[in-house]
Amino acid sequence: MRRSRSSSEREAATVEIVYAAAAGAVLAAVGFLVLAIPVLAGQAHGEARKGWFTAAVIVAAAAFCGRVAVTLRRFERQSRLREQAAAAQAAGGDPATVGAGGQPSQPGLTSPDS
């Protein structure tokens, strides 16, 4: 069972969600504009216009969803590692070895028998 999140953890999650959405929106806008330039410049007509516009919408949606997913996965992974390090430290273990398969996260911190 997961423990309840503190106020600072909830705020960090909110900030990360807003950042993910904003970064996704910017990336989607850029992707849309890159593919919609022929339509906006009047270079595409008829079916080509529809095709360019459809492609622009698909790329924008994929860019937005992809960016949001990558950003939130990274945040979740970092939060999980922080929780594991805190649990290891509370249990008297070495938080430097959490998430690394028992190996220290920094060179030079290995035990003499390794």
Side-chain angles (χ1 to χ4, degrees), residues 95-113:
T97 62
V98 172
Q103 294 295 317
S105 60
Q106 297 176 357
L109 295 180
T110 57
S111 60
D113 60 344

Side-chain angles (χ1 to χ4, degrees), residues 20-39:
V26 169
L27 190 60
V30 169
F32 179 84
L33 287 175
V34 164
L35 287 177
I37 285 174
V39 174

Side-chain angles (χ1 to χ4, degrees), residues 3-17 75 79 82-83:
R3 64 178 177 80
S4 61
R5 293 184 177 181
S6 69
S7 176
S8 63
E9 289 171 331
R10 286 191 305 269
E11 289 174 7
T14 301
V15 168
E16 196 67 22
I17 290 168
F75 177 72
S79 294
R82 277 193 297 270
E83 288 176 6

